[in-house]
Amino acid sequence: MAGNSLSFYKFDEVFKFKVCIFHGRIASKDADNRAADIFLWRNKKISVGVLGFSTTIWVFFELLEYHLLTLVCHVIILALTVLFLWSNASAFINKSPPKFPEAALPEDLVLGVAGALRIEVNRALAILRDIAAGKDLKKFLAVIAGLWFFSILGSCWNFLTLFYISFVLLHTVPLLYEKYVLSKIPRGPLKDKKFL
C-alpha cells in the first residue's frame, strides 16, 4: 500500500482516525470510520443532516437571539408536561401508564471522561508553564500572536459564529481539496519519471 499511496497523514491526536491519500482520493484507513465519511461527504444524507442541524442551531441562537438555558428549560418543561398529562390521562382512557426507564450514567464512563479531561488540562498547563518560564522565545511570541489574533476575531464575531464558521469549513474544505486538488495529481506508474 505504501508504494501506491501518494502521502499519509495521521490525525490520531485530534480526530482519532487515519487518512491516506490513495490514487488522488482521500480514503479512510479504517473500513468503518463514520467521522471521515461525514467530513468527506461519502454519506451525503448524514453530511447534509449534520450541516443542516448545525445551521438551524446557529440561526436559532444567533438570528432569533434565543438563549441556550432558555431553550433547555423550555424543552424540559414541554417534555415533563406531556409525560405528566400522559401518565394521568392513561387512567381515563383505560390504558396502562407509560413505563419510564431508570436512567443513570455509568461510573466508568464518567471516570474515563474526567481522566481524559484531566490529562489534557495538565498538558495545557505544562505548556503554559514552559512558555511563562521563558524557556522558548519563539513559542512565546507565537502564542502571544495567536492569542492577539483570536482576540481580534473575538471582537468581530462572537464564539458561536466562530464555531459555526469553523464547523462549516471543516465540512467543506476536505471535500473541495479532494475534488479540485487531488484530482490534479498525476496517477500511474513512476518508473519512467525523472526525479531531481
Side-chain angles (χ1 to χ4, degrees):
M1 177 142 157
N4 293 335
S5 67
L6 298 173
S7 57
F8 181 69
Y9 300 100
K10 282 187 177 183
F11 294 103
D12 288 336
E13 295 298 320
V14 179
F15 297 109
K16 304 293 185 206
F17 65 84
K18 295 178 184 172
V19 172
C20 70
I21 300 173
F22 186 71
H23 288 292
R25 185 174 166 103
I26 298 176
S28 171
K29 283 244 349 154
D30 302 327
D32 189 32
N33 196 329
R34 292 184 183 98
D37 291 342
I38 291 171
F39 288 132
L40 297 172
W41 291 74
R42 301 282 192 271
N43 191 339
K44 290 190 185 339
K45 288 182 182 179
I46 294 177
S47 296
V48 166
V50 167
L51 200 57
F53 179 75
S54 65
T55 301
T56 303
I57 294 297
W58 180 77
V59 165
F60 203 59
F61 288 128
E62 282 299 311
L63 299 180
L64 300 178
E65 296 182 3
Y66 210 68
H67 299 283
L68 180 64
L69 184 60
T70 307
L71 175 68
V72 170
C73 289
H74 286 170
V75 167
I76 291 173
I77 288 170
L78 180 66
L80 285 176
T81 304
V82 167
L83 291 173
F84 179 80
L85 292 175
W86 184 14
S87 295
N88 288 327
S90 62
F92 297 116
I93 56 175
N94 295 328
K95 295 269 187 182
S96 62
K99 305 238 187 277
F100 300 110
E102 191 171 316
L105 287 174
E107 184 177 351
D108 57 340
L109 174 69
V110 173
L111 292 176
V113 169
L117 184 63
R118 181 186 59 84
I119 290 170
E120 294 302 322
V121 168
N122 285 340
R123 183 182 301 163
L125 289 174
I127 291 170
L128 290 175
R129 184 185 66 237
D130 288 344
I131 291 170
K135 294 181 181 178
D136 191 1
L137 180 63
K138 285 183 181 180
K139 191 182 285 187
F140 170 74
L141 293 176
V143 168
I144 295 299
L147 290 173
W148 180 67
F149 176 73
F150 283 123
S151 72
I152 291 173
L153 282 181
S155 66
C156 297
W157 297 299
N158 65 4
F159 178 73
L160 186 61
T161 302
L162 281 175
F163 184 76
Y164 176 70
I165 290 171
S166 302
F167 192 78
V168 169
L169 288 175
L170 183 65
H171 276 80
T172 55
V173 169
L175 176 70
L176 295 174
Y177 179 77
E178 181 181 71
K179 188 173 185 180
Y180 294 109
V181 175
L182 293 182
S183 63
K184 306 286 190 263
I185 296 175
R187 297 181 197 116
L190 298 175
K191 291 183 218 175
D192 301 330
K193 306 284 181 186
K194 291 183 180 179
F195 296 102
L196 297 177

